[in-house]
Amino acid sequence: MELSKDLLPLTEAFYYILVALYPRAAHGYAMMQDVEKMSAGRVRIGAGTLYTALNTLQKKGLIENAPEADVGADSRRKLYAITELGRTVLKAEMERMEELLSNARSAIANVE
């Protein structure tokens, strides 16, 4: 599947949000915590950045609102889930980044 140029490359925030949502639906605060944990504290997404990113990812069809039944104890929290398109885009981004790393490693190995 050829992905539209407006979907790749992903920003670091978009990438980490999609990774955080891949295993399960989550609310904003949980995503912020997951991203910080995954990146060993290197990436911290603030609330303003997060909700702007979530809005953009929804408009692109990469995430959606999760069903209300998944909300659990706190119905005020809005849950988000990754879509099939979001999963496809995330995997394509991972392949793109792996190619970048492979090319750089090859170029560096040829010099050293």
Side-chain angles (χ1 to χ4, degrees):
M1 173 181 167
E2 187 67 29
L3 295 173
S4 165
K5 288 186 180 185
D6 66 329
L7 297 177
L8 294 177
L10 294 173
T11 66
E12 191 169 39
F14 287 3
Y15 175 80
Y16 272 114
I17 290 167
L18 292 177
V19 171
L21 291 175
Y22 201 91
R24 69 192 178 303
H27 56 78
Y29 184 69
M31 282 183 263
M32 291 166 55
Q33 290 179 313
D34 288 347
V35 168
E36 189 171 342
K37 184 177 177 183
M38 276 187 276
S39 68
R42 187 183 63 78
V43 178
R44 291 187 177 131
I45 300 175
T49 300
L50 176 71
Y51 289 103
T52 299
L54 291 172
N55 187 39
T56 301
L57 289 168
Q58 279 187 302
K59 286 180 181 176
K60 291 180 183 245
L62 303 180
I63 65 171
E64 62 190 2
N65 291 333
E68 292 297 320
D70 292 344
V71 173
D74 191 349
S75 62
R76 295 171 297 164
R77 290 187 174 172
K78 191 174 190 179
L79 282 179
Y80 298 90
I82 192 168
T83 63
E84 283 307 310
L85 177 60
R87 289 176 187 273
T88 300
V89 168
L90 178 60
K91 289 176 183 176
E93 179 69 349
M94 291 168 58
E95 290 172 7
R96 187 190 72 79
M97 289 190 297
E98 286 172 353
E99 180 183 332
L100 289 173
L101 283 171
S102 176
N103 292 338
R105 287 185 177 121
S106 294
I108 291 169
N110 290 334
V111 173
E112 295 179 346

